């Protein structure tokens, strides 16, 4: 058993991981990119109240990019046309604004690179060594690029990302669709599997999908909020599961 009487992840049929904030610290890059883009947008459009870090956790964290844009603008009573994913970053549409943020994110990722959290990597390597099926369940369209940059793409048989979600018209977290579909792709039953998330929307998604164990990783959203959303246990780092 892991220390502190945590559930034994090896007793489940599979472990499905969120990416940003769980396996890699890309959540920090996303947060910075969102803040930069929305502060500029709010200033240009004279939108109040000002963008805050809480906006990221309440409206953006864990959601598909365009759904997050629409949710945050809606919180300020702003509605703009949805547009199309092909919209340029200069377009004042939901898709254009989302693409504007993504341009900032990609620039930072390519300039600085990314490394997995050491504790997450140690746990992942133990799971892979014991042939535990593992998958990534990410709302990001950048998931493949992030996994490759972090050097961990080869650990995962299944990567359920924002590209697949858009292609297959799967609802964004907190709906259960992406977690349930990832389990299907992996060939496992959610009722016998574990899900690991750091976002409230992701915890809600896994809980709604009927996963036997939902692990919340508190990277800043708050342990109480993660438990209220449906996390069975909350840790500050996945190192806590390493035997």
């Amino acid at each position: 058993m892991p220390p502190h009487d945590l559930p034994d992840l090896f007793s489940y049929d599979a472990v499905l991981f969120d990416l940003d904030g769980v396996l890699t610290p890309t959540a920090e890059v996303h947060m910075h990119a969102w803040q930069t883009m929305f502060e500029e947008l709010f200033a240009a459009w004279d939108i109040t109240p000002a963008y805050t870090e809480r906006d990221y956790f309440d409206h953006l964290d864990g959601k598909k990019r365009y759904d997050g844009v629409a949710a945050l603008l809606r919180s300020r009573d702003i509605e703009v046309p949805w547009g199309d994913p092909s919209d340029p970053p200069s377009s004042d549409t939901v898709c254009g604004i989302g693409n504007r943020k993504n341009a900032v994110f990609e620039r930072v990722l390519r300039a600085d690179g990314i490394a997995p959290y050491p504790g997450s990597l140690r746990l992942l390597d133990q799971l892979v060594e014991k042939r535990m099926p593992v998958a990534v369940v990410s709302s990001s369209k950048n998931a493949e690029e992030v996994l490759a940059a972090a050097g961990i793409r080869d650990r995962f048989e299944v990567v359920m990302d924002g590209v697949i979600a858009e292609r297959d018209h799967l609802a964004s977290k907190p709906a259960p669709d992406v977690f349930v579909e990832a389990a299907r792709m992996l060939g496992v039953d959610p009722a016998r599997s574990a899900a690991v998330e750091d976002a409230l929307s992701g915890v809600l998604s896994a809980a709604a999908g009927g996963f036997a164990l939902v692990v919340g990783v508190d990277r800043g959203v708050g342990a109480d909020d993660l438990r209220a959303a449906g996390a069975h246990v909350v840790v500050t780092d996945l190192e806590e599961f390493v035997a």
Side-chain angles (χ1 to χ4, degrees):
M1 285 284 290
H4 312 304
D5 297 324
L6 287 173
D8 182 5
L9 292 182
F10 295 95
S11 69
Y12 295 89
D13 287 356
V15 183
L16 286 72
F17 296 90
D18 177 44
L19 176 59
D20 301 329
V22 170
L23 296 174
T24 59
T26 31
E28 298 169 14
V29 184
H30 282 293
M31 289 177 70
H32 176 69
W34 281 121
Q35 180 178 353
T36 298
M37 189 276 297
F38 271 118
E39 284 180 347
E40 293 175 356
L41 183 72
F42 280 22
W45 291 7
D46 195 26
I47 295 174
T48 56
Y51 179 88
T52 68
E53 184 177 285
R54 193 69 224 176
D55 282 317
Y56 174 79
F57 292 118
D58 289 346
H59 305 297
L60 302 167
D61 191 18
K63 295 183 180 178
K64 289 191 289 187
R65 188 189 314 157
Y66 304 139
D67 289 345
V69 170
L72 196 147
L73 291 178
R74 198 173 300 119
S75 76
R76 302 304 197 273
D77 296 322
I78 303 291
E79 296 282 348
V80 298
W82 189 269
D84 184 84
S86 64
D87 287 353
S90 57
S91 294
D92 289 332
T93 62
V94 167
C95 293
I97 293 167
N99 293 343
R100 200 176 308 173
K101 172 265 174 180
N102 198 54
V104 177
F105 174 83
E106 289 180 343
R107 186 169 65 247
V108 174
L109 180 65
R110 288 166 185 165
D112 299 341
I114 198 74
Y117 288 108
S120 299
L121 182 60
R122 281 191 281 274
L123 174 61
L124 180 59
D125 283 345
Q126 283 194 356
L127 292 168
V128 171
E129 182 182 352
K130 295 187 178 181
R131 301 187 181 278
M132 172 71 75
V134 291
V136 166
V137 186
S138 173
S139 298
S140 175
K141 291 184 176 181
N142 304 108
E144 290 281 1
E145 183 178 3
V146 170
L147 288 165
I152 56 174
R153 176 60 183 88
D154 61 334
R155 269 81 159 180
F156 298 98
E157 177 184 344
V158 167
V159 175
M160 170 71 236
D161 63 4
V163 175
I164 296 174
E166 183 174 288
R167 182 197 70 195
D168 296 347
H169 307 290
L170 300 175
S172 180
K173 301 173 185 177
D177 303 42
V178 289
F179 265 106
V180 171
E181 176 62 11
R184 186 200 66 76
M185 292 167 67
L186 202 57
V188 298
D189 183 353
R192 295 178 54 85
S193 304
V196 186
E197 266 284 358
D198 72 312
L200 294 177
S201 60
V203 169
L204 288 164
S205 174
F211 279 76
L213 175 68
V214 181
V215 177
V217 183
D218 185 11
R219 305 286 192 193
V221 69
D224 290 343
D225 288 342
L226 289 167
R227 290 190 186 93
H232 299 113
V233 296
V234 176
V235 296
T236 57
D237 194 279
L238 292 180
E239 178 77 35
E240 296 177 46
F241 282 101
V242 176

